């Protein structure tokens, strides 16, 4: 099943915010066609337009890079246009059709492997918002081993360019590794990669999810430097983490809420574990200690009290097993 981001007329004003220092490139907004966002995809070295490249608009509030949402392909002139994005702020992920080029988040001054450094804009209600050109760089590769930190035993994991929902694996660019992984087609930037163990960090997992370098938080992850035309080695030693378990039934009496239990990082709201066990009415997840999480049923009903994700209380994860009942 593929989820799509509805394309409706935006009501927000045109706004550009650059996370990088210095003056941002000029953006042109013209009162011609309603609600258009456009860019031109070019070869970074030659400046020639590149057709057949997919540009994805990722809503800022998305917990993971959902690539079945709004997207536009570059035409023969390299032009990619979004027509009537839903109101909200967006960053843009670029997937070249030619394997010679690397993936990237669109930055104000070129590509980046860090979502936090990506350009972020608000879709216009009317007119045309022209983004900086997408400049495609040659691709590089990251490879390495995946082992348990305590024993050195090989483990299996999904490796992705952003926090991913393991129940929707095809929506975020990722590769699967068993004891070893190889991620090709990455642009030559510093990439913060996410490692989600087999079993979605749920009851069957042997280790907990982590960001590159063993971080619990994307903002503290160690960027892996990719070099065009070369292979970078980045081994990952995954820790067992702390088991958090409990009852997986929430809601009001007579109207129970059942479904996967998601553990969201309290600071970024990114997925750190999923326990897909609705039939047993119990859940269990593995989480690295030292982080705070929000536990939610189906992403809408969170412990405690049934609040939504934005208003749910954060639970600190220590080194001892925890029981948290909904």
């Amino acid at each position: 099943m593929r989820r799509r981001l509805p394309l409706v007329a935006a009501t927000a004003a045109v706004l550009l915010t650059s996370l990088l220092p210095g003056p941002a490139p000029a953006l042109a907004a013209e009162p011609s066609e309603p609600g258009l966002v456009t860019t031109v995809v070019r070869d970074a070295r030659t400046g020639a337009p590149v057709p057949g490249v997919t540009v994805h608009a990722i809503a800022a509030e998305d917990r993971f890079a959902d690539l079945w949402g709004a997207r536009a392909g570059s035409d023969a002139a390299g032009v990619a246009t979004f027509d009537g994005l839903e109101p909200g702020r967006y960053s843009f992920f670029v997937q070249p059709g030619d394997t010679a080029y690397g993936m990237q988040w669109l930055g104000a001054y070129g590509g980046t492997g860090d979502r936090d450094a990506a350009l972020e804009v608000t879709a216009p209600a009317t007119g045309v918002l022209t983004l900086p050109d997408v400049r495609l760089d040659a691709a590089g590769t990251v490879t390495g081993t995946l082992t348990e930190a305590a024993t050195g035993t090989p483990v299996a994991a999904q490796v992705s360019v952003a926090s991913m929902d393991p129940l929707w694996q095809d929506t975020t660019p990722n590769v699967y590794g068993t004891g070893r992984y190889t991620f090709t087609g990455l642009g030559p930037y510093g990439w913060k990669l996410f490692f989600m163990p087999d079993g979605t960090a749920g009851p069957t997992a042997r280790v907990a999810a982590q960001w590159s370098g063993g971080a619990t938080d994307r903002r503290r992850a160690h960027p892996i430097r990719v070099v065009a035309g070369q292979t970078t080695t980045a081994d990952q030693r995954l820790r067992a983490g702390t088991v958090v378990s409990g009852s997986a039934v929430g809601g009001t009496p007579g109207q129970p809420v059942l479904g996967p239990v998601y553990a969201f990082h309290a600071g970024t709201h990114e997925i750190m574990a999923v326990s897909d066990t609705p039939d047993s009415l119990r859940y269990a997840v593995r989480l690295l200690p030292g982080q705070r999480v929000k536990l939610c049923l189906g992403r809408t009903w969170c412990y405690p009290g049934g609040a939504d994700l934005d208003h749910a209380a954060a639970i600190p994860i220590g080194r001892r097993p925890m029981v948290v009942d909904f």
Side-chain angles (χ1 to χ4, degrees):
M1 177 177 177
R2 296 180 176 180
R3 296 173 294 170
R4 287 189 174 274
L5 181 68
L7 301 180
V8 298
T11 57
V14 177
L15 176 63
L16 170 68
T17 299
S18 171
L19 296 179
L20 300 178
L27 299 182
E30 303 170 0
S32 55
E33 300 179 58
L36 299 183
V37 178
T38 185
T39 185
V40 179
V41 182
R42 300 185 184 277
D43 183 295
R45 184 177 60 84
T46 67
V50 181
V53 175
T54 303
V55 182
H56 303 269
I58 309 299
E61 69 271 14
D62 277 359
R63 316 307 178 195
F64 54 98
D66 187 351
L67 300 191
W68 293 118
R71 48 186 166 171
S74 60
D75 61 18
V79 177
T81 301
F82 294 89
D83 184 358
L85 285 174
E86 184 176 319
R89 294 185 62 77
Y90 294 87
S91 54
F92 299 86
F93 189 82
V94 182
Q95 281 190 301
D98 187 335
T99 57
Y101 294 114
M103 293 180 281
Q104 66 171 253
W105 291 95
L106 174 62
Y109 301 93
T112 177
D114 184 355
R115 185 174 184 176
D116 288 325
L119 187 70
E120 193 174 283
V121 303
T122 299
T126 61
V128 180
L129 174 63
T130 301
L131 302 174
D133 289 352
V134 174
R135 299 195 292 273
L136 295 179
D137 297 295
T141 299
V142 176
T143 190
T145 58
L146 298 168
T147 57
E148 291 185 27
T151 65
T153 304
V155 293
Q158 299 281 348
V159 185
S160 58
V161 297
S163 170
M164 64 178 289
D165 185 337
L167 304 183
W168 295 83
Q169 293 179 1
D170 58 352
T171 65
T172 305
N174 68 87
V175 298
Y176 183 71
T178 303
R180 189 169 191 85
Y181 74 99
T182 299
F183 210 139
T184 61
L186 298 172
Y189 326 113
W191 285 88
K192 294 180 177 180
L193 298 182
F194 185 65
F195 296 82
M196 174 64 78
D198 228 7
T200 68
T204 63
R206 292 156 48 191
V207 293
Q210 67 178 44
W211 288 90
S212 47
T216 60
D217 186 335
R218 181 192 71 231
R219 297 165 298 188
R220 299 178 181 176
H222 295 183
I224 301 171
R225 176 58 59 182
V226 176
V227 180
Q230 299 185 27
T231 298
T232 300
T233 299
D235 298 335
Q236 300 296 319
R237 301 173 66 242
L238 282 70
R239 290 178 285 159
T242 299
V243 175
V244 179
S245 61
S247 168
V249 181
T252 57
Q255 294 180 318
V257 178
L258 305 177
V261 173
Y262 284 82
F264 295 99
H265 189 279
T268 64
H269 285 186
E270 290 174 318
I271 298 166
M272 297 304 295
V274 183
S275 180
D276 188 19
T277 55
D279 294 334
S280 67
L281 307 185
R282 301 286 298 177
Y283 78 96
V285 292
R286 285 188 178 272
L287 296 162
L288 290 183
Q291 64 180 309
R292 292 160 60 84
V293 302
K294 297 182 178 184
L295 297 173
C296 301
L297 274 165
R299 306 192 206 171
T300 56
W301 199 96
C302 303
Y303 174 89
D308 61 21
L309 180 59
D310 289 333
H311 300 93
I315 300 171
I317 304 301
R319 297 185 179 277
R320 295 183 178 181
M322 301 173 60
V323 175
V324 179
D325 292 325
F326 283 78

